[in-house]
Amino acid sequence: MTFDSLGLHPRLVTKLREQGITEPTPIQEQAIPHAMLGKDVMGIAQTGTGKTAAFGLPMAHVLITAGTKPDPKSVRGLILAPTRELAKQISDNLRAYTEGSHLKVNLVVGGVSINLQIERLRKGTDLLVATPGRLIDLLDRKAVRLDQTRYLVLDEADQMLDMGFIHALRRIAPLLPKDRQTMLFSATMPKLMSELSRAYLTDPVRVEAAPPGKPADKVSQALHFVEQPRKASLLVEHLDEHREELALVFTRTKHGANKLASILEKSGFSVGAIHGNKSQGQRDRAISAFKSGQLRVLVATDVAARGLDIPGVRHVYNYDMPNVPENYVHRIGRTARAGRDGRAVAYCSPAEMSELRAIQKTLGREIPVLGGNRWEGERPSKGTKPSAPAQKNRPRRRARPARRAA
């Protein structure tokens, strides 16, 4: 299968070839034909497998073929994303696909000047990538209109349909024409998403390039049982083993990210931190420095769990276990991208065993144990099966230490 055989506009095929992209990934191969026929699509695929092209190329194909321009302040295709980083990544990809065409791609996110965004939207937009909050701000100011929007995409739709965004979606969706094409894409498919998606899609085609919640095959996972106060010193030991390689470290809180970055900096690492309290400029600069290798370690909250597409990331550390099990899949999906190998290590304290159980239930198997002993009284999660390495090297148990707050 090639992009030519999918029937995409020759201009798009040429641009893809210039980027070294000649064969569609499984999710692209399955989703693009249905999308080009105008059908609603629900797509499930592992992170790093090309979901942006799966929904972006069909929209670009139709709009390039039409050859017309949008009306002032109007939007033809709207892509909603939960984080600024993911929204920027999507817009960068769409611009790369459509470079040299008449299509206009715009990005609207919080943390930057709204006046500049208003000016860019004035002449109309073919493809608009937005975070829900900033889009609502622009709608309230009558800087953009959605009455001509024929395409709606929810990327990382599980988070978009979570309670944190559902109220924003309920404000935005009625402003779009009922006669539209809607596509939802994600790496995970919680039950809530399946239920809520019925309100936005009509007779959708469901395409799956991997079972929901399955991490990329080339991610080597490992688990270390460790008390919370010892996590920082253990992380330093692990990072010391590969100082020249890029490592992404996830914490649960903003304060925790700042504190850990300070510890790592004192240990001699070139490190940066990104989280919700950082300005968009600070976040962009940190990510740019990390991508270029100027920073070797990036400490982040879950704002970076989706949308960071940096092929050079070889290591992901879950310093704190995520509260939402699906976020584990997204976090470790920041490595092993574009066909590369990657390694993901999770640190689990006694207070985080419930999070670990939920994660392993989502994965359907235990994570292989790298070190430490399973905390006393804990058993494998119901519905999971031990992975071969974990079963072979199961550690001896010891008395459970005093419980500490994470």
Side-chain angles (χ1 to χ4, degrees):
M1 180 71 70
T2 65
F3 286 105
D4 285 297
S5 63
L6 290 176
L8 289 170
H9 193 282
R11 181 186 291 275
L12 294 173
V13 176
T14 299
K15 279 299 171 186
L16 291 170
R17 190 179 298 118
E18 289 175 358
Q19 299 170 52
I21 305 172
T22 56
E23 296 181 0
T25 64
I27 189 63
Q28 294 163 3
E29 185 176 329
Q30 293 181 51
I32 288 175
H34 294 297
M36 289 177 65
L37 291 174
K39 296 180 180 179
D40 286 4
V41 175
M42 180 183 293
I44 306 165
Q46 298 163 342
T47 57
T49 55
K51 293 190 292 294
T52 300
F55 61 74
L57 292 174
M59 291 190 295
H61 165 83
V62 174
L63 294 174
I64 289 176
T65 303
T68 56
K69 294 184 178 181
D71 291 340
K73 296 186 180 181
S74 70
V75 173
R76 289 177 164 183
L78 173 64
I79 302 99
L80 293 175
T83 68
R84 303 171 190 174
E85 283 71 25
L86 177 57
K88 185 178 186 302
Q89 185 67 50
I90 294 169
S91 66
D92 288 345
N93 287 339
L94 293 178
R95 289 189 178 107
Y97 302 152
T98 61
E99 184 183 10
S101 73
H102 69 278
L103 298 189
K104 185 181 296 184
V105 178
N106 274 321
L107 170 68
V108 293
V109 298
V112 295
S113 169
I114 195 170
N115 293 326
L116 183 59
Q117 293 175 353
I118 290 172
E119 183 59 32
R120 288 174 178 168
L121 293 170
R122 198 180 304 278
K123 294 183 180 180
T125 304
D126 291 291
L127 295 172
L128 178 64
V129 187
T131 50
R134 177 49 60 95
L135 178 60
I136 289 175
D137 289 342
L138 290 162
L139 289 167
D140 289 342
R141 298 186 184 209
K142 301 189 184 304
V144 63
R145 36 188 282 236
L146 304 178
D147 58 305
Q148 295 181 23
T149 303
R150 297 298 175 185
Y151 308 98
L152 172 64
V153 176
L154 305 183
D155 196 21
E156 300 296 358
D158 57 335
Q159 190 172 351
M160 292 300 303
L161 290 177
D162 197 359
M163 295 310 294
F165 289 97
I166 190 63
H167 301 297
L169 286 172
R170 285 173 178 158
R171 283 196 59 187
I172 294 169
L175 303 177
L176 280 69
K178 291 185 178 180
D179 181 20
R180 67 171 188 267
Q181 181 181 11
T182 304
M183 292 181 276
L184 277 64
F185 283 81
S186 184
T188 53
M189 184 70 69
K191 183 179 179 182
L192 175 66
M193 176 179 162
S194 277
E195 293 173 351
L196 293 178
S197 65
R198 299 190 192 106
Y200 296 94
L201 283 79
T202 302
D203 193 22
V205 175
R206 177 166 171 150
V207 295
E208 294 186 23
K214 185 178 185 298
D217 293 331
K218 293 195 174 185
V219 179
S220 172
Q221 300 177 65
L223 174 66
H224 202 119
F225 292 106
V226 55
E227 293 180 346
Q228 191 70 27
R230 288 199 61 246
K231 284 187 177 182
S233 60
L234 181 60
L235 178 62
V236 169
E237 290 177 21
H238 285 161
L239 292 175
D240 261 331
E241 297 172 359
H242 50 79
R243 277 185 174 264
E244 298 306 311
E245 296 178 330
L246 300 187
L248 184 58
V249 182
F250 284 100
T251 63
R252 186 175 299 152
T253 67
K254 305 166 190 174
H255 172 71
N258 287 336
K259 182 178 179 180
L260 182 58
S262 178
I263 292 172
L264 295 178
E265 186 174 22
K266 290 176 182 177
S267 298
F269 294 97
S270 55
V271 59
I274 62 171
H275 50 69
N277 282 353
K278 297 279 189 179
S279 70
Q280 190 59 45
Q282 289 173 318
R283 286 156 69 165
D284 289 343
R285 287 191 293 273
I287 291 171
S288 178
F290 183 55
K291 187 179 294 187
S292 70
Q294 182 181 346
L295 297 178
R296 298 292 183 177
V297 182
L298 186 65
V299 183
T301 57
D302 279 326
V303 299
R306 310 175 190 230
L308 277 191
D309 186 10
I310 303 175
V313 175
R314 290 292 307 279
H315 308 269
V316 169
Y317 290 95
N318 282 284
Y319 186 83
D320 295 319
M321 303 295 279
N323 292 324
V324 179
E326 288 81 12
N327 282 353
Y328 174 84
V329 177
H330 292 286
R331 285 180 177 189
I332 70 173
R334 299 310 100 201
T335 187
R337 300 182 74 83
R340 294 173 170 84
D341 294 326
R343 177 171 173 262
V345 178
Y347 296 160
C348 181
S349 70
E352 295 174 304
M353 285 304 298
S354 60
E355 285 85 353
L356 175 62
R357 287 194 296 270
I359 289 167
Q360 295 189 143
K361 183 176 180 180
T362 297
L363 297 175
R365 63 175 59 246
E366 284 194 302
I367 302 171
V369 176
L370 175 66
N373 297 318
R374 182 182 296 278
W375 308 115
E376 177 85 15
E378 295 296 345
R379 297 291 189 272
S381 306
K382 186 177 180 181
T384 69
K385 57 183 178 181
S387 63
Q391 191 174 38
K392 181 179 179 182
N393 299 314
R394 186 174 302 284
R396 296 171 59 189
R397 297 180 180 175
R398 60 181 174 82
R400 182 173 183 172
R403 185 180 181 92
R404 297 176 184 271

